[in-house]
Structures are given as structure tokens and as C-alpha cells.
Amino acid sequence: MTNLIPIFIYLIASLLITRWWSARQSKKSGGLYQDKAKRFFIGGRFLNGPLLALTLVATYTSASSFIGGPGAAYKIGLGWVWLALIQVPVAMLTLGVLGPKLLAQRKAEHTTLIEWLDARYQNSWLTKLALVSLVVGFIAMISVQFIGGARLFSGVSGISYELGLGLFVITVLAYTLTGGFRAVVITDAFQGILMIIGVLVIFITLLSQGGLTALMTNVSAQSPTLLSPQGNSGQLGWPMMLSFWMLICFGTLGLPHTVVRLLAVKDTNALKRGMIWGTIISFLMTLIPHLSGVLGRALYPDLTVPDEIMPRLITGLFDPFWAGVLLAAPIAAVMSSVDSMLLQSAVSLVRDGVVRCYPSLTANAQVSLTRVAMVLVTLIATYCAIEPPSMIVWLNLAAFGALQAVFLWPILAGLYWPQIAGNAALAAMLSGLVSYLLLLWFKPAMFGVHPIVPALFISAMCMLVVHRLLQTPAITKA
């Protein structure tokens, strides 16, 4: 328990600093919305380049990046590190492809992705399906973050997993209930800086245990295939490469919690600077934790739960006080993802669900209901996290894929294909989700390809077919 004291001091200090910073920035900003609910939900056009890069990468970097990813690298070897680096261009891709188009629509002042989809397609069934998919998918991903946070607390301090889960959930609620979108983004930026410092300290200390060559030699002595690009069991062939390129790179264009940040970008210059800074930060935050997972095997070769490698490195390389201080880095990674998803799922429930049924709902009531929704989503996600799997990376990727199967093509087509209509986008959503879930559940032989690849292909084909069928009568009539 002793090494939890520094982390709680950090969490309280971080909460006070980011809320003070957020309030100060709000007073200085002249571009805030007059509507109190909109101020809470989106915070105004305030994201400059560095802030955009930090919040984007911090949100994307999660328990999977700090716990699951290093755990997979520990088990599979150096090949998993190369595979994980596929996600480095995510900031460049997201900001470069989606940013200019969404920035051009700034006058509409959309506060959620679903609000934008509704305005673009004007299809009530599409809106309902998007809302349900977003909330369910986020609850699954929030559960993964809770598992990661609980494992960090219990791994570093020795407390039970259940107590660690309880402590982490209370911390998350304290952060998300006390601020809106602007406060969450500033928290992300603060924690993003801390993450970079933390992983660098852990990695440099790890290298001091004999140097890179000696650690690699030790890992190779355990099994030479741990240094193979194909992984220690040859499982990282081209099907896995294709699947990961789709899942953690191209497919991220369809992640709602990433896209919503583009609704708050300040200007074109912020987009350009965000692309550069985001790529640099993403490279550091991907390479160092994953490489630490492989090298950590030289010091701890017999872990039965691979996800324990990062907590074990922290407790093994540092005394209890500094272990507690460094725990702030992975906790920040988990917090920065879960607060964004929790806020957006609650906002969508209220803004895209309740407000549609009761349009006269006041701004104060919307904000209050959003806080209630946060608590409800947290309780459900906590219940799902009580009995965790041994490796969370697969659970996280499954939820990732479900969101991409629903949102990727409707978002891209909505921005770049003016002729596409709501029914075609709905067909893409429905076929993508159903095919993905069926393939994930029944696991047919697909030569090692992840279900997201055929699901996105089916989704695109269904969208094109429905578009063609709806377009034909109009052309004939003309």
C-alpha cells in the first residue's frame, strides 16, 4: 500500500492543476458556445497543434498500449513490436484525411459524432444504430481500461484485484464528473506529457540492467524465435499484418472518440502541427512500452500472466516510493482513454438520445443527466471487469473492430461522397456490424485474417449495392 501514496498524491494534484488550467483557458477563450450544454460537451474551438496531438495520442494510448501490448510482446517476442509500429501514422492519417473536411463544417457546431451523422444522412434508423453501437462498444472498451487500471494498482501495491478495481473506478469518476470536454482534453495533455517522461525513465532504467545487447542475448537464449519477425510461434505472417494494418491504422478513421476531437480543432495550422507532433509522440509511445515488454523477459522469464510484465518491471526496478511515482505513467495512459470514452458515451446517450425525445430539455438538465449517465455506464463497465481474461489485448481489439465495422464507411463516405444517401450508409453500418460479430463468434477458417478485414469489405459492398439500387430509378426517370 505504501507505493500507492505517491500515485494518489499525483492524482489529486493532477485533478486540481488540470481543472484550474481548464477554467483559466475557458476565461481567456472568446470562442465558447453560448449554450452551457455545448460548452460542457465540446468546449469550443480551442485545440491547437500540440494540444491536439497530445489528446489524440493520449486517448488512443490505453491499457492495451501499456499493459496488453507489452504483455503480448513479452509472450510473442520482437515481432509484436514491429507489428505494433503499424499504428504510428494514426495521427497523420486521422488529421490529414478527416481534419480538413470536418474543419470546413465548423459553422454547424456539431457536438457529437452522431449529431454530425444525423445532419449528414437524416436517417433515424442510422442514428439509432449508431447510438446503440457507440454506447455498447464504449462500455466494452471502458471495461478493458478498468481491468488494466486494476491490474496496475494490484500489481504494484500487492492489494487484491477487486480492491484495485474499486480504487481505479472511484478515481475515474472523480475526474470525469468534475469537468466537461475541455477539462478532459487538458487532462489528456497533462497526462500525455507524464506518459512520455514515465516510459523513458522505465526504459532507460531497464537498459541499465546490462545493456540492450545483453538483454537481447538473454531473451534469445530463452527462445531464438522470440527475436523473429514472425513471432515465437510463427503467428505473425501477412494475414496478421493485413489485419493489424486495418485494425490499428486505417480503421482508426472510424473510431468515434478520435473523430470527435476534430470537431474542436482551432484552425488548419493546428491540424498541420498536430500531424507532426502526433506522429512523433505516437512513435515514442508505441515503441518504448512494447520493447520494454520484450526486454523485460530477460529479468522475469516465468510470468504466467503476460499482462503483468509492466507492473513487475516498475516494482522490480524501483523502490516502493519511486514505483508509486512511476505508476502515474501507465495510470495516465489508462485514464486518458477511459475519461474520453466515458464522457462521449454519456454525452451521446443524453444529447443524441434523451434530447431527441425531449427537445425542450434545459442546458442545466442536460449536463446533470450526462453526469448520471456517466455513473450508470461506469457501473455496467465495472460489473463486466470483475472477472477479467488473462490477456486484455484481444478483448480491446474486438471492441475496436466492432466500432470500426459500424462507423468507418459512413464517416468516410459522408465526408467524401456527397451523393451517398442515408439508406446506403445504414446498409454499411448494419452489414458491417452483423458480419463482424458473426465472424468473431463462429470463427470460420480465414487463413489467419482478423474478422475486421472481411467485415469491412462486406460493409463497403453492401453500401455500394444499396446506393446503386436506389440510384437506378432516378437515372431511368431522368
Side-chain angles (χ1 to χ4, degrees):
M1 287 292 285
T2 306
N3 43 17
L4 282 183
I5 295 174
I7 188 63
F8 282 124
I9 293 173
Y10 155 75
L11 288 170
I12 294 169
S14 166
L15 184 65
L16 295 175
I17 292 170
T18 54
R19 295 307 176 264
W20 168 79
W21 189 6
S22 172
R24 189 167 177 267
Q25 292 295 315
S26 296
K27 287 179 182 175
K28 289 169 64 177
S29 175
L32 285 178
Y33 302 120
Q34 294 303 310
D35 183 342
K36 180 183 176 182
K38 279 195 171 185
R39 287 204 303 273
F40 184 83
F41 297 150
I42 200 69
R45 294 274 179 186
F46 67 102
L47 286 179
N48 58 29
L51 203 56
L52 177 61
L54 282 167
T55 185
L56 197 68
V57 178
T59 300
Y60 185 71
T61 306
S62 62
S64 186
S65 306
F66 245 105
I67 303 297
Y74 175 90
K75 183 178 181 181
I76 297 172
L78 207 55
W80 189 267
V81 181
W82 308 134
L83 194 69
L85 289 174
I86 291 175
Q87 64 191 297
V88 169
V90 160
M92 186 80 70
L93 190 65
T94 306
L95 300 183
V97 174
L98 304 181
K101 288 287 185 180
L102 287 172
L103 196 60
Q105 301 176 18
R106 62 167 67 190
K107 288 184 180 177
E109 295 187 354
H110 300 300
T111 53
T112 68
L113 172 63
I114 295 175
E115 205 170 283
W116 175 80
L117 285 170
D118 187 56
R120 168 63 180 83
Y121 291 112
Q122 298 181 353
N123 184 305
S124 63
W125 285 107
L126 181 147
T127 305
K128 291 171 184 169
L129 179 59
L131 176 59
V132 172
S133 304
L134 184 146
V135 173
V136 174
F138 273 179
I139 287 175
M141 292 180 72
I142 290 168
S143 295
V144 173
Q145 310 311 311
F146 283 175
I147 294 168
R151 280 190 173 149
L152 281 169
F153 275 137
S154 63
V156 172
S157 67
I159 61 176
S160 68
Y161 170 83
E162 290 76 14
L163 181 57
L165 178 63
L167 290 174
F168 186 73
V169 168
I170 291 170
T171 306
V172 167
L173 278 177
Y175 269 76
T176 47
L177 290 176
T178 56
F181 181 80
R182 179 180 285 260
V184 164
V185 165
I186 290 177
T187 303
D188 289 350
F190 183 82
Q191 293 182 328
I193 295 169
L194 188 79
M195 274 190 277
I196 297 170
I197 296 171
V199 295
L200 284 172
V201 171
I202 294 169
F203 187 64
I204 291 169
T205 308
L206 176 59
L207 289 182
S208 70
Q209 307 300 305
L212 181 62
T213 304
L215 292 172
M216 282 292 188
T217 303
N218 188 310
V219 172
S220 178
Q222 295 177 33
S223 173
T225 54
L226 284 169
L227 304 188
S228 166
Q230 285 76 39
N232 65 345
S233 302
Q235 65 269 58
L236 304 181
W238 70 264
M240 186 70 92
M241 293 284 284
L242 173 64
S243 303
F244 263 66
W245 180 80
M246 192 64 78
L247 255 178
I248 64 175
C249 190
F250 177 71
T252 56
L253 291 171
L255 289 179
H257 53 302
T258 303
V259 176
V260 76
R261 272 147 178 74
L262 299 177
L263 300 176
V265 174
K266 192 174 182 181
D267 51 31
T268 305
N269 189 43
L271 273 181
K272 292 176 181 174
R273 295 180 67 194
M275 289 166 68
I276 296 170
W277 280 106
T279 304
I280 295 171
I281 297 169
S282 182
F283 175 74
L284 293 174
M285 294 306 302
T286 303
L287 177 65
I288 296 176
H290 284 79
L291 195 53
S292 298
V294 178
L295 298 178
R297 189 157 180 143
L299 303 182
Y300 305 101
D302 301 318
L303 294 183
T304 53
V305 179
D307 283 356
E308 291 179 353
I309 183 59
M310 284 301 277
R312 187 64 68 89
L313 283 175
I314 293 174
T315 53
L317 295 176
F318 302 92
D319 63 43
F321 176 80
W322 289 109
V325 172
L326 283 167
L327 182 60
I331 285 290
V334 182
M335 287 280 297
S336 57
S337 295
V338 75
D339 61 3
S340 298
M341 288 186 278
L342 187 54
L343 176 66
Q344 197 176 347
S345 54
V347 167
S348 292
L349 277 171
V350 174
R351 191 81 180 181
D352 304 312
V354 177
V355 172
R356 285 179 188 280
C357 299
Y358 304 98
S360 59
L361 205 65
T362 65
N364 284 333
Q366 290 181 42
V367 173
S368 299
L369 270 178
T370 301
R371 292 194 167 107
V372 172
M374 283 180 195
V375 176
L376 288 176
V377 171
T378 300
L379 290 175
I380 296 171
T382 304
Y383 177 77
C384 297
I386 289 175
E387 294 186 6
S390 62
M391 289 182 69
I392 60 174
V393 65
W394 306 120
L395 186 58
N396 195 51
L397 289 177
F400 235 57
L403 287 172
Q404 293 171 10
V406 171
F407 289 103
L408 179 64
W409 296 126
I411 290 174
L412 286 178
L415 289 172
Y416 284 95
W417 196 356
Q419 292 80 17
I420 203 76
N423 286 334
L426 176 62
M429 270 190 179
L430 201 55
S431 59
L433 179 62
V434 171
S435 59
Y436 179 76
L437 294 178
L438 288 175
L439 291 169
L440 204 63
W441 183 263
F442 290 106
K443 296 182 172 57
M446 294 186 294
F447 307 101
V449 173
H450 191 276
I452 190 62
V453 178
L456 287 180
F457 177 76
I458 292 169
S459 171
M461 289 300 104
C462 287
M463 183 174 71
L464 292 173
V465 168
V466 172
H467 172 70
R468 180 68 179 168
L469 290 175
L470 293 178
Q471 197 180 39
T472 304
I475 292 173
T476 304
K477 188 177 179 180

